[in-house]
Amino acid sequence: MLLNKQEVDWRIGELGGWKIEEGKLKKIFKFKDFISAIEFVNAVAGLAEKENHHPDILITYNKVRITLWTHDVGGLSEKDFNLASKIEKGLIDL
Amino acid sequence: MLLNKQEVDWRIGELGGWKIEEGKLKKIFKFKDFISAIEFVNAVAGLAEKENHHPDILITYNKVRITLWTHDVGGLSEKDFNLASKIEKGLIDL
């Protein structure tokens, strides 16, 4: 289900460093090198498969941009914020 | 060293499905699913580390866009076409 603006604002406030751009939930993660960035991508890929929700992932050397939105509802849903939250928690284990 | 237009044209002709966009060498690879796309990204990452030349990599579910150029020369060099060629050869082993 599509979240309304108030719900999106509330959920964005719970995350750190994520922002909305062109209606999509985005964050750029920075690592010490390319290999560390790739490790992160693999961790995100594992979460994405588990949740059956797949973000766009852009790797630029040691930076990884994650872009989330829900195609089915044409905007942001719980799924996006749940996966963003899991990605943040997953970072602790890297 | 920066390649001239003639050299770029010649090398592009040797590859399959790569094109120049905004001065960069690009190709979109399509796979059967997200996990296959991630396997390809890991193979490309291994080649990139070995060659010490790192493309931008965009993953969109089962599609992977590879973007190559050489920052040091501000354009396309041998390094870009060598890595593109290795990526193509690597595909055979996936």
Side-chain angles (χ1 to χ4, degrees), chain A residues 34-35 38 41-42 44-46 48-49 54-61 65, chain B residues 34-35 38 41-42 44-46 48-49 54-61 65 69:
Chain A
F34 178 71
I35 285 300
I38 294 291
V41 168
N42 279 298
V44 169
E49 272 296 286
H54 302 85
D56 287 354
I57 303 171
L58 175 65
I59 307 158
T60 315
Y61 192 59
R65 190 191 67 197
Chain B
F34 178 71
I35 285 301
I38 294 290
V41 168
N42 279 294
V44 170
E49 272 296 285
H54 302 85
D56 287 355
I57 303 170
L58 175 64
I59 307 157
T60 315
Y61 191 60
R65 189 191 69 198
W69 86 106

PDB file of all heavy atoms in Angstrom, chain A residues 34-35 38 41-42 44-46 48-49 54-61 65, chain B residues 34-35 38 41-42 44-46 48-49 54-61 65 69:
ATOM      1  N   PHE A  34      36.807  -0.513  -3.073  1.00  0.00           N
ATOM      2  CA  PHE A  34      35.868  -1.169  -3.988  1.00  0.00           C
ATOM      3  C   PHE A  34      35.389  -2.508  -3.427  1.00  0.00           C
ATOM      4  O   PHE A  34      34.188  -2.813  -3.464  1.00  0.00           O
ATOM      5  CB  PHE A  34      36.570  -1.352  -5.341  1.00  0.00           C
ATOM      6  CG  PHE A  34      35.759  -2.046  -6.395  1.00  0.00           C
ATOM      7  CD1 PHE A  34      34.668  -1.429  -6.993  1.00  0.00           C
ATOM      8  CD2 PHE A  34      36.114  -3.320  -6.825  1.00  0.00           C
ATOM      9  CE1 PHE A  34      33.935  -2.069  -7.985  1.00  0.00           C
ATOM     10  CE2 PHE A  34      35.392  -3.963  -7.817  1.00  0.00           C
ATOM     11  CZ  PHE A  34      34.300  -3.342  -8.394  1.00  0.00           C
ATOM     12  N   ILE A  35      36.336  -3.296  -2.915  1.00  0.00           N
ATOM     13  CA  ILE A  35      35.988  -4.634  -2.406  1.00  0.00           C
ATOM     14  C   ILE A  35      35.006  -4.553  -1.238  1.00  0.00           C
ATOM     15  O   ILE A  35      34.059  -5.355  -1.145  1.00  0.00           O
ATOM     16  CB  ILE A  35      37.289  -5.411  -2.050  1.00  0.00           C
ATOM     17  CG1 ILE A  35      37.975  -5.895  -3.336  1.00  0.00           C
ATOM     18  CG2 ILE A  35      37.032  -6.567  -1.108  1.00  0.00           C
ATOM     19  CD1 ILE A  35      37.143  -6.834  -4.217  1.00  0.00           C
ATOM     20  N   ILE A  38      31.639  -3.909  -2.650  1.00  0.00           N
ATOM     21  CA  ILE A  38      31.069  -5.129  -3.239  1.00  0.00           C
ATOM     22  C   ILE A  38      30.540  -6.072  -2.145  1.00  0.00           C
ATOM     23  O   ILE A  38      29.472  -6.683  -2.305  1.00  0.00           O
ATOM     24  CB  ILE A  38      32.113  -5.854  -4.136  1.00  0.00           C
ATOM     25  CG1 ILE A  38      32.457  -5.001  -5.371  1.00  0.00           C
ATOM     26  CG2 ILE A  38      31.641  -7.246  -4.548  1.00  0.00           C
ATOM     27  CD1 ILE A  38      31.351  -4.844  -6.397  1.00  0.00           C
ATOM     28  N   VAL A  41      27.250  -4.765  -1.217  1.00  0.00           N
ATOM     29  CA  VAL A  41      26.262  -5.076  -2.266  1.00  0.00           C
ATOM     30  C   VAL A  41      25.771  -6.517  -2.120  1.00  0.00           C
ATOM     31  O   VAL A  41      24.574  -6.792  -2.245  1.00  0.00           O
ATOM     32  CB  VAL A  41      26.853  -4.825  -3.680  1.00  0.00           C
ATOM     33  CG1 VAL A  41      25.964  -5.408  -4.774  1.00  0.00           C
ATOM     34  CG2 VAL A  41      27.064  -3.335  -3.903  1.00  0.00           C
ATOM     35  N   ASN A  42      26.675  -7.423  -1.830  1.00  0.00           N
ATOM     36  CA  ASN A  42      26.275  -8.825  -1.645  1.00  0.00           C
ATOM     37  C   ASN A  42      25.369  -8.997  -0.426  1.00  0.00           C
ATOM     38  O   ASN A  42      24.418  -9.787  -0.466  1.00  0.00           O
ATOM     39  CB  ASN A  42      27.506  -9.720  -1.551  1.00  0.00           C
ATOM     40  CG  ASN A  42      28.065 -10.034  -2.934  1.00  0.00           C
ATOM     41  OD1 ASN A  42      27.394 -10.652  -3.758  1.00  0.00           O
ATOM     42  ND2 ASN A  42      29.266  -9.577  -3.205  1.00  0.00           N
ATOM     43  N   VAL A  44      23.371  -6.657   0.775  1.00  0.00           N
ATOM     44  CA  VAL A  44      22.085  -6.056   0.365  1.00  0.00           C
ATOM     45  C   VAL A  44      21.327  -7.024  -0.555  1.00  0.00           C
ATOM     46  O   VAL A  44      20.110  -7.201  -0.418  1.00  0.00           O
ATOM     47  CB  VAL A  44      22.301  -4.693  -0.340  1.00  0.00           C
ATOM     48  CG1 VAL A  44      21.015  -4.191  -0.995  1.00  0.00           C
ATOM     49  CG2 VAL A  44      22.829  -3.656   0.650  1.00  0.00           C
ATOM     50  N   ALA A  45      22.061  -7.676  -1.459  1.00  0.00           N
ATOM     51  CA  ALA A  45      21.433  -8.623  -2.389  1.00  0.00           C
ATOM     52  C   ALA A  45      20.787  -9.776  -1.625  1.00  0.00           C
ATOM     53  O   ALA A  45      19.677 -10.208  -1.968  1.00  0.00           O
ATOM     54  CB  ALA A  45      22.471  -9.151  -3.378  1.00  0.00           C
ATOM     55  N   GLY A  46      21.454 -10.260  -0.584  1.00  0.00           N
ATOM     56  CA  GLY A  46      20.899 -11.323   0.252  1.00  0.00           C
ATOM     57  C   GLY A  46      19.602 -10.888   0.919  1.00  0.00           C
ATOM     58  O   GLY A  46      18.598 -11.624   0.904  1.00  0.00           O
ATOM     59  N   ALA A  48      17.639  -8.453  -0.080  1.00  0.00           N
ATOM     60  CA  ALA A  48      16.657  -8.187  -1.148  1.00  0.00           C
ATOM     61  C   ALA A  48      15.968  -9.483  -1.586  1.00  0.00           C
ATOM     62  O   ALA A  48      14.746  -9.511  -1.772  1.00  0.00           O
ATOM     63  CB  ALA A  48      17.354  -7.523  -2.342  1.00  0.00           C
ATOM     64  N   GLU A  49      16.751 -10.548  -1.712  1.00  0.00           N
ATOM     65  CA  GLU A  49      16.176 -11.834  -2.110  1.00  0.00           C
ATOM     66  C   GLU A  49      15.244 -12.375  -1.038  1.00  0.00           C
ATOM     67  O   GLU A  49      14.162 -12.877  -1.332  1.00  0.00           O
ATOM     68  CB  GLU A  49      17.293 -12.847  -2.384  1.00  0.00           C
ATOM     69  CG  GLU A  49      17.809 -12.824  -3.797  1.00  0.00           C
ATOM     70  CD  GLU A  49      16.765 -13.233  -4.842  1.00  0.00           C
ATOM     71  OE1 GLU A  49      16.452 -14.434  -4.944  1.00  0.00           O
ATOM     72  OE2 GLU A  49      16.283 -12.332  -5.560  1.00  0.00           O
ATOM     73  N   HIS A  54      13.656  -5.707  -4.545  1.00  0.00           N
ATOM     74  CA  HIS A  54      14.992  -5.505  -5.102  1.00  0.00           C
ATOM     75  C   HIS A  54      15.281  -4.052  -5.432  1.00  0.00           C
ATOM     76  O   HIS A  54      14.697  -3.500  -6.372  1.00  0.00           O
ATOM     77  CB  HIS A  54      15.150  -6.367  -6.358  1.00  0.00           C
ATOM     78  CG  HIS A  54      14.927  -7.826  -6.095  1.00  0.00           C
ATOM     79  ND1 HIS A  54      13.674  -8.390  -6.097  1.00  0.00           N
ATOM     80  CD2 HIS A  54      15.783  -8.823  -5.769  1.00  0.00           C
ATOM     81  CE1 HIS A  54      13.772  -9.696  -5.819  1.00  0.00           C
ATOM     82  NE2 HIS A  54      15.041  -9.973  -5.611  1.00  0.00           N
ATOM     83  N   PRO A  55      16.167  -3.433  -4.675  1.00  0.00           N
ATOM     84  CA  PRO A  55      16.500  -2.032  -4.964  1.00  0.00           C
ATOM     85  C   PRO A  55      17.378  -1.912  -6.210  1.00  0.00           C
ATOM     86  O   PRO A  55      18.025  -2.890  -6.602  1.00  0.00           O
ATOM     87  CB  PRO A  55      17.304  -1.596  -3.736  1.00  0.00           C
ATOM     88  CG  PRO A  55      17.912  -2.846  -3.201  1.00  0.00           C
ATOM     89  CD  PRO A  55      16.968  -3.970  -3.559  1.00  0.00           C
ATOM     90  N   ASP A  56      17.409  -0.727  -6.805  1.00  0.00           N
ATOM     91  CA  ASP A  56      18.450  -0.424  -7.785  1.00  0.00           C
ATOM     92  C   ASP A  56      19.733  -0.165  -6.996  1.00  0.00           C
ATOM     93  O   ASP A  56      19.700   0.480  -5.937  1.00  0.00           O
ATOM     94  CB  ASP A  56      18.096   0.832  -8.590  1.00  0.00           C
ATOM     95  CG  ASP A  56      16.982   0.562  -9.594  1.00  0.00           C
ATOM     96  OD1 ASP A  56      16.573  -0.606  -9.730  1.00  0.00           O
ATOM     97  OD2 ASP A  56      16.523   1.530 -10.229  1.00  0.00           O
ATOM     98  N   ILE A  57      20.838  -0.665  -7.522  1.00  0.00           N
ATOM     99  CA  ILE A  57      22.128  -0.535  -6.835  1.00  0.00           C
ATOM    100  C   ILE A  57      23.148   0.020  -7.821  1.00  0.00           C
ATOM    101  O   ILE A  57      23.392  -0.591  -8.861  1.00  0.00           O
ATOM    102  CB  ILE A  57      22.605  -1.915  -6.317  1.00  0.00           C
ATOM    103  CG1 ILE A  57      21.549  -2.555  -5.389  1.00  0.00           C
ATOM    104  CG2 ILE A  57      23.955  -1.790  -5.603  1.00  0.00           C
ATOM    105  CD1 ILE A  57      21.839  -4.019  -5.013  1.00  0.00           C
ATOM    106  N   LEU A  58      23.722   1.167  -7.483  1.00  0.00           N
ATOM    107  CA  LEU A  58      24.765   1.756  -8.334  1.00  0.00           C
ATOM    108  C   LEU A  58      26.088   1.754  -7.575  1.00  0.00           C
ATOM    109  O   LEU A  58      26.198   2.349  -6.503  1.00  0.00           O
ATOM    110  CB  LEU A  58      24.390   3.193  -8.724  1.00  0.00           C
ATOM    111  CG  LEU A  58      25.455   3.971  -9.508  1.00  0.00           C
ATOM    112  CD1 LEU A  58      25.729   3.357 -10.877  1.00  0.00           C
ATOM    113  CD2 LEU A  58      25.060   5.442  -9.661  1.00  0.00           C
ATOM    114  N   ILE A  59      27.083   1.078  -8.161  1.00  0.00           N
ATOM    115  CA  ILE A  59      28.422   1.007  -7.553  1.00  0.00           C
ATOM    116  C   ILE A  59      29.358   1.941  -8.315  1.00  0.00           C
ATOM    117  O   ILE A  59      29.504   1.824  -9.530  1.00  0.00           O
ATOM    118  CB  ILE A  59      28.993  -0.431  -7.625  1.00  0.00           C
ATOM    119  CG1 ILE A  59      27.996  -1.445  -7.041  1.00  0.00           C
ATOM    120  CG2 ILE A  59      30.353  -0.514  -6.932  1.00  0.00           C
ATOM    121  CD1 ILE A  59      28.221  -2.881  -7.540  1.00  0.00           C
ATOM    122  N   THR A  60      29.964   2.871  -7.595  1.00  0.00           N
ATOM    123  CA  THR A  60      30.949   3.778  -8.188  1.00  0.00           C
ATOM    124  C   THR A  60      32.190   3.717  -7.300  1.00  0.00           C
ATOM    125  O   THR A  60      32.302   4.434  -6.307  1.00  0.00           O
ATOM    126  CB  THR A  60      30.406   5.222  -8.223  1.00  0.00           C
ATOM    127  OG1 THR A  60      29.060   5.195  -8.683  1.00  0.00           O
ATOM    128  CG2 THR A  60      31.221   6.115  -9.133  1.00  0.00           C
ATOM    129  N   TYR A  61      33.090   2.826  -7.639  1.00  0.00           N
ATOM    130  CA  TYR A  61      34.286   2.516  -6.853  1.00  0.00           C
ATOM    131  C   TYR A  61      33.935   2.177  -5.395  1.00  0.00           C
ATOM    132  O   TYR A  61      33.470   1.071  -5.137  1.00  0.00           O
ATOM    133  CB  TYR A  61      35.382   3.596  -6.984  1.00  0.00           C
ATOM    134  CG  TYR A  61      36.673   3.110  -6.402  1.00  0.00           C
ATOM    135  CD1 TYR A  61      37.297   1.975  -6.889  1.00  0.00           C
ATOM    136  CD2 TYR A  61      37.249   3.758  -5.307  1.00  0.00           C
ATOM    137  CE1 TYR A  61      38.463   1.483  -6.317  1.00  0.00           C
ATOM    138  CE2 TYR A  61      38.426   3.271  -4.723  1.00  0.00           C
ATOM    139  CZ  TYR A  61      39.019   2.136  -5.237  1.00  0.00           C
ATOM    140  OH  TYR A  61      40.166   1.643  -4.666  1.00  0.00           O
ATOM    141  N   ARG A  65      25.082   3.511  -4.215  1.00  0.00           N
ATOM    142  CA  ARG A  65      23.800   4.205  -4.065  1.00  0.00           C
ATOM    143  C   ARG A  65      22.670   3.182  -4.134  1.00  0.00           C
ATOM    144  O   ARG A  65      22.558   2.433  -5.103  1.00  0.00           O
ATOM    145  CB  ARG A  65      23.612   5.240  -5.178  1.00  0.00           C
ATOM    146  CG  ARG A  65      22.404   6.158  -4.907  1.00  0.00           C
ATOM    147  CD  ARG A  65      22.062   7.002  -6.118  1.00  0.00           C
ATOM    148  NE  ARG A  65      21.566   6.155  -7.207  1.00  0.00           N
ATOM    149  CZ  ARG A  65      21.494   6.525  -8.479  1.00  0.00           C
ATOM    150  NH1 ARG A  65      21.911   7.719  -8.841  1.00  0.00           N
ATOM    151  NH2 ARG A  65      21.033   5.698  -9.404  1.00  0.00           N
TER     152      ARG A  65
ATOM    153  N   PHE B  34      17.615 -11.783 -10.566  1.00  0.00           N
ATOM    154  CA  PHE B  34      18.463 -10.892  -9.766  1.00  0.00           C
ATOM    155  C   PHE B  34      19.741 -11.591  -9.322  1.00  0.00           C
ATOM    156  O   PHE B  34      20.840 -11.018  -9.415  1.00  0.00           O
ATOM    157  CB  PHE B  34      17.646 -10.415  -8.559  1.00  0.00           C
ATOM    158  CG  PHE B  34      18.376  -9.519  -7.595  1.00  0.00           C
ATOM    159  CD1 PHE B  34      18.711  -8.219  -7.946  1.00  0.00           C
ATOM    160  CD2 PHE B  34      18.694  -9.966  -6.325  1.00  0.00           C
ATOM    161  CE1 PHE B  34      19.365  -7.381  -7.046  1.00  0.00           C
ATOM    162  CE2 PHE B  34      19.348  -9.140  -5.413  1.00  0.00           C
ATOM    163  CZ  PHE B  34      19.678  -7.843  -5.775  1.00  0.00           C
ATOM    164  N   ILE B  35      19.616 -12.826  -8.843  1.00  0.00           N
ATOM    165  CA  ILE B  35      20.778 -13.563  -8.332  1.00  0.00           C
ATOM    166  C   ILE B  35      21.813 -13.804  -9.436  1.00  0.00           C
ATOM    167  O   ILE B  35      23.024 -13.677  -9.191  1.00  0.00           O
ATOM    168  CB  ILE B  35      20.310 -14.886  -7.664  1.00  0.00           C
ATOM    169  CG1 ILE B  35      19.678 -14.581  -6.298  1.00  0.00           C
ATOM    170  CG2 ILE B  35      21.442 -15.884  -7.505  1.00  0.00           C
ATOM    171  CD1 ILE B  35      20.613 -13.873  -5.295  1.00  0.00           C
ATOM    172  N   ILE B  38      23.658 -10.627  -9.903  1.00  0.00           N
ATOM    173  CA  ILE B  38      24.636 -10.409  -8.818  1.00  0.00           C
ATOM    174  C   ILE B  38      25.885 -11.283  -9.021  1.00  0.00           C
ATOM    175  O   ILE B  38      27.009 -10.838  -8.779  1.00  0.00           O
ATOM    176  CB  ILE B  38      23.978 -10.681  -7.431  1.00  0.00           C
ATOM    177  CG1 ILE B  38      22.889  -9.642  -7.136  1.00  0.00           C
ATOM    178  CG2 ILE B  38      25.021 -10.734  -6.307  1.00  0.00           C
ATOM    179  CD1 ILE B  38      23.386  -8.237  -6.867  1.00  0.00           C
ATOM    180  N   VAL B  41      27.961  -9.504 -11.454  1.00  0.00           N
ATOM    181  CA  VAL B  41      28.606  -8.339 -10.827  1.00  0.00           C
ATOM    182  C   VAL B  41      29.845  -8.782 -10.041  1.00  0.00           C
ATOM    183  O   VAL B  41      30.893  -8.137 -10.099  1.00  0.00           O
ATOM    184  CB  VAL B  41      27.610  -7.582  -9.908  1.00  0.00           C
ATOM    185  CG1 VAL B  41      28.324  -6.570  -9.023  1.00  0.00           C
ATOM    186  CG2 VAL B  41      26.539  -6.898 -10.756  1.00  0.00           C
ATOM    187  N   ASN B  42      29.742  -9.909  -9.347  1.00  0.00           N
ATOM    188  CA  ASN B  42      30.902 -10.403  -8.605  1.00  0.00           C
ATOM    189  C   ASN B  42      32.039 -10.831  -9.536  1.00  0.00           C
ATOM    190  O   ASN B  42      33.217 -10.604  -9.224  1.00  0.00           O
ATOM    191  CB  ASN B  42      30.479 -11.552  -7.679  1.00  0.00           C
ATOM    192  CG  ASN B  42      29.858 -11.033  -6.402  1.00  0.00           C
ATOM    193  OD1 ASN B  42      30.524 -10.404  -5.588  1.00  0.00           O
ATOM    194  ND2 ASN B  42      28.568 -11.246  -6.228  1.00  0.00           N
ATOM    195  N   VAL B  44      32.588  -9.521 -12.526  1.00  0.00           N
ATOM    196  CA  VAL B  44      33.140  -8.252 -13.028  1.00  0.00           C
ATOM    197  C   VAL B  44      34.026  -7.601 -11.956  1.00  0.00           C
ATOM    198  O   VAL B  44      35.099  -7.081 -12.254  1.00  0.00           O
ATOM    199  CB  VAL B  44      32.004  -7.287 -13.457  1.00  0.00           C
ATOM    200  CG1 VAL B  44      32.540  -5.887 -13.738  1.00  0.00           C
ATOM    201  CG2 VAL B  44      31.277  -7.832 -14.692  1.00  0.00           C
ATOM    202  N   ALA B  45      33.572  -7.654 -10.700  1.00  0.00           N
ATOM    203  CA  ALA B  45      34.333  -7.056  -9.597  1.00  0.00           C
ATOM    204  C   ALA B  45      35.714  -7.720  -9.477  1.00  0.00           C
ATOM    205  O   ALA B  45      36.720  -7.038  -9.260  1.00  0.00           O
ATOM    206  CB  ALA B  45      33.560  -7.177  -8.291  1.00  0.00           C
ATOM    207  N   GLY B  46      35.756  -9.046  -9.639  1.00  0.00           N
ATOM    208  CA  GLY B  46      37.029  -9.775  -9.582  1.00  0.00           C
ATOM    209  C   GLY B  46      37.971  -9.325 -10.689  1.00  0.00           C
ATOM    210  O   GLY B  46      39.151  -9.048 -10.442  1.00  0.00           O
ATOM    211  N   ALA B  48      37.818  -6.452 -12.287  1.00  0.00           N
ATOM    212  CA  ALA B  48      38.126  -5.039 -12.048  1.00  0.00           C
ATOM    213  C   ALA B  48      39.275  -4.891 -11.046  1.00  0.00           C
ATOM    214  O   ALA B  48      40.190  -4.085 -11.239  1.00  0.00           O
ATOM    215  CB  ALA B  48      36.882  -4.311 -11.543  1.00  0.00           C
ATOM    216  N   GLU B  49      39.237  -5.704  -9.983  1.00  0.00           N
ATOM    217  CA  GLU B  49      40.305  -5.646  -8.978  1.00  0.00           C
ATOM    218  C   GLU B  49      41.635  -6.110  -9.572  1.00  0.00           C
ATOM    219  O   GLU B  49      42.672  -5.504  -9.317  1.00  0.00           O
ATOM    220  CB  GLU B  49      39.937  -6.530  -7.775  1.00  0.00           C
ATOM    221  CG  GLU B  49      39.127  -5.827  -6.724  1.00  0.00           C
ATOM    222  CD  GLU B  49      39.872  -4.683  -6.043  1.00  0.00           C
ATOM    223  OE1 GLU B  49      40.749  -4.941  -5.209  1.00  0.00           O
ATOM    224  OE2 GLU B  49      39.532  -3.505  -6.349  1.00  0.00           O
ATOM    225  N   HIS B  54      38.110   0.126 -12.415  1.00  0.00           N
ATOM    226  CA  HIS B  54      36.799  -0.146 -11.811  1.00  0.00           C
ATOM    227  C   HIS B  54      35.657   0.555 -12.550  1.00  0.00           C
ATOM    228  O   HIS B  54      35.531   1.774 -12.476  1.00  0.00           O
ATOM    229  CB  HIS B  54      36.821   0.285 -10.337  1.00  0.00           C
ATOM    230  CG  HIS B  54      37.896  -0.403  -9.546  1.00  0.00           C
ATOM    231  ND1 HIS B  54      39.190   0.059  -9.497  1.00  0.00           N
ATOM    232  CD2 HIS B  54      37.889  -1.538  -8.805  1.00  0.00           C
ATOM    233  CE1 HIS B  54      39.924  -0.753  -8.749  1.00  0.00           C
ATOM    234  NE2 HIS B  54      39.157  -1.737  -8.320  1.00  0.00           N
ATOM    235  N   PRO B  55      34.826  -0.218 -13.221  1.00  0.00           N
ATOM    236  CA  PRO B  55      33.689   0.396 -13.926  1.00  0.00           C
ATOM    237  C   PRO B  55      32.600   0.824 -12.944  1.00  0.00           C
ATOM    238  O   PRO B  55      32.549   0.320 -11.815  1.00  0.00           O
ATOM    239  CB  PRO B  55      33.153  -0.745 -14.791  1.00  0.00           C
ATOM    240  CG  PRO B  55      33.554  -1.991 -14.098  1.00  0.00           C
ATOM    241  CD  PRO B  55      34.828  -1.686 -13.353  1.00  0.00           C
ATOM    242  N   ASP B  56      31.748   1.736 -13.370  1.00  0.00           N
ATOM    243  CA  ASP B  56      30.501   1.961 -12.639  1.00  0.00           C
ATOM    244  C   ASP B  56      29.570   0.797 -12.982  1.00  0.00           C
ATOM    245  O   ASP B  56      29.518   0.350 -14.137  1.00  0.00           O
ATOM    246  CB  ASP B  56      29.829   3.276 -13.079  1.00  0.00           C
ATOM    247  CG  ASP B  56      30.577   4.486 -12.558  1.00  0.00           C
ATOM    248  OD1 ASP B  56      31.539   4.314 -11.784  1.00  0.00           O
ATOM    249  OD2 ASP B  56      30.200   5.609 -12.932  1.00  0.00           O
ATOM    250  N   ILE B  57      28.849   0.320 -11.987  1.00  0.00           N
ATOM    251  CA  ILE B  57      27.975  -0.841 -12.169  1.00  0.00           C
ATOM    252  C   ILE B  57      26.592  -0.499 -11.631  1.00  0.00           C
ATOM    253  O   ILE B  57      26.455  -0.164 -10.459  1.00  0.00           O
ATOM    254  CB  ILE B  57      28.534  -2.073 -11.402  1.00  0.00           C
ATOM    255  CG1 ILE B  57      29.976  -2.393 -11.855  1.00  0.00           C
ATOM    256  CG2 ILE B  57      27.620  -3.285 -11.587  1.00  0.00           C
ATOM    257  CD1 ILE B  57      30.688  -3.431 -10.986  1.00  0.00           C
ATOM    258  N   LEU B  58      25.591  -0.553 -12.495  1.00  0.00           N
ATOM    259  CA  LEU B  58      24.211  -0.291 -12.059  1.00  0.00           C
ATOM    260  C   LEU B  58      23.395  -1.583 -12.181  1.00  0.00           C
ATOM    261  O   LEU B  58      23.271  -2.144 -13.277  1.00  0.00           O
ATOM    262  CB  LEU B  58      23.572   0.808 -12.914  1.00  0.00           C
ATOM    263  CG  LEU B  58      22.090   1.093 -12.643  1.00  0.00           C
ATOM    264  CD1 LEU B  58      21.871   1.636 -11.229  1.00  0.00           C
ATOM    265  CD2 LEU B  58      21.531   2.084 -13.668  1.00  0.00           C
ATOM    266  N   ILE B  59      22.852  -2.022 -11.053  1.00  0.00           N
ATOM    267  CA  ILE B  59      22.027  -3.240 -11.037  1.00  0.00           C
ATOM    268  C   ILE B  59      20.554  -2.833 -10.937  1.00  0.00           C
ATOM    269  O   ILE B  59      20.170  -2.109 -10.016  1.00  0.00           O
ATOM    270  CB  ILE B  59      22.383  -4.127  -9.816  1.00  0.00           C
ATOM    271  CG1 ILE B  59      23.888  -4.407  -9.769  1.00  0.00           C
ATOM    272  CG2 ILE B  59      21.576  -5.433  -9.831  1.00  0.00           C
ATOM    273  CD1 ILE B  59      24.396  -4.777  -8.375  1.00  0.00           C
ATOM    274  N   THR B  60      19.748  -3.281 -11.893  1.00  0.00           N
ATOM    275  CA  THR B  60      18.310  -3.033 -11.868  1.00  0.00           C
ATOM    276  C   THR B  60      17.624  -4.387 -12.061  1.00  0.00           C
ATOM    277  O   THR B  60      17.403  -4.822 -13.188  1.00  0.00           O
ATOM    278  CB  THR B  60      17.902  -2.069 -13.013  1.00  0.00           C
ATOM    279  OG1 THR B  60      18.832  -0.999 -13.046  1.00  0.00           O
ATOM    280  CG2 THR B  60      16.515  -1.501 -12.809  1.00  0.00           C
ATOM    281  N   TYR B  61      17.359  -5.049 -10.957  1.00  0.00           N
ATOM    282  CA  TYR B  61      16.820  -6.409 -10.914  1.00  0.00           C
ATOM    283  C   TYR B  61      17.684  -7.381 -11.741  1.00  0.00           C
ATOM    284  O   TYR B  61      18.732  -7.781 -11.261  1.00  0.00           O
ATOM    285  CB  TYR B  61      15.340  -6.448 -11.294  1.00  0.00           C
ATOM    286  CG  TYR B  61      14.751  -7.808 -10.989  1.00  0.00           C
ATOM    287  CD1 TYR B  61      14.760  -8.307  -9.690  1.00  0.00           C
ATOM    288  CD2 TYR B  61      14.248  -8.626 -11.989  1.00  0.00           C
ATOM    289  CE1 TYR B  61      14.286  -9.575  -9.389  1.00  0.00           C
ATOM    290  CE2 TYR B  61      13.760  -9.903 -11.688  1.00  0.00           C
ATOM    291  CZ  TYR B  61      13.789 -10.363 -10.399  1.00  0.00           C
ATOM    292  OH  TYR B  61      13.326 -11.622 -10.114  1.00  0.00           O
ATOM    293  N   ARG B  65      24.120  -2.613 -15.907  1.00  0.00           N
ATOM    294  CA  ARG B  65      24.763  -1.682 -16.844  1.00  0.00           C
ATOM    295  C   ARG B  65      26.199  -1.430 -16.392  1.00  0.00           C
ATOM    296  O   ARG B  65      26.440  -1.019 -15.258  1.00  0.00           O
ATOM    297  CB  ARG B  65      24.006  -0.347 -16.895  1.00  0.00           C
ATOM    298  CG  ARG B  65      24.511   0.554 -18.027  1.00  0.00           C
ATOM    299  CD  ARG B  65      23.959   1.959 -17.914  1.00  0.00           C
ATOM    300  NE  ARG B  65      24.525   2.638 -16.764  1.00  0.00           N
ATOM    301  CZ  ARG B  65      24.000   3.724 -16.195  1.00  0.00           C
ATOM    302  NH1 ARG B  65      22.890   4.249 -16.658  1.00  0.00           N
ATOM    303  NH2 ARG B  65      24.573   4.284 -15.145  1.00  0.00           N
ATOM    304  N   TRP B  69      35.281   4.157 -18.360  1.00  0.00           N
ATOM    305  CA  TRP B  69      36.103   5.226 -18.922  1.00  0.00           C
ATOM    306  C   TRP B  69      37.306   5.396 -18.026  1.00  0.00           C
ATOM    307  O   TRP B  69      37.363   4.811 -16.944  1.00  0.00           O
ATOM    308  CB  TRP B  69      35.308   6.510 -19.122  1.00  0.00           C
ATOM    309  CG  TRP B  69      35.210   7.425 -17.941  1.00  0.00           C
ATOM    310  CD1 TRP B  69      35.861   8.617 -17.765  1.00  0.00           C
ATOM    311  CD2 TRP B  69      34.400   7.248 -16.774  1.00  0.00           C
ATOM    312  NE1 TRP B  69      35.506   9.173 -16.561  1.00  0.00           N
ATOM    313  CE2 TRP B  69      34.623   8.360 -15.934  1.00  0.00           C
ATOM    314  CE3 TRP B  69      33.521   6.245 -16.344  1.00  0.00           C
ATOM    315  CZ2 TRP B  69      33.994   8.491 -14.697  1.00  0.00           C
ATOM    316  CZ3 TRP B  69      32.899   6.375 -15.106  1.00  0.00           C
ATOM    317  CH2 TRP B  69      33.126   7.485 -14.312  1.00  0.00           C
TER     318      TRP B  69
END
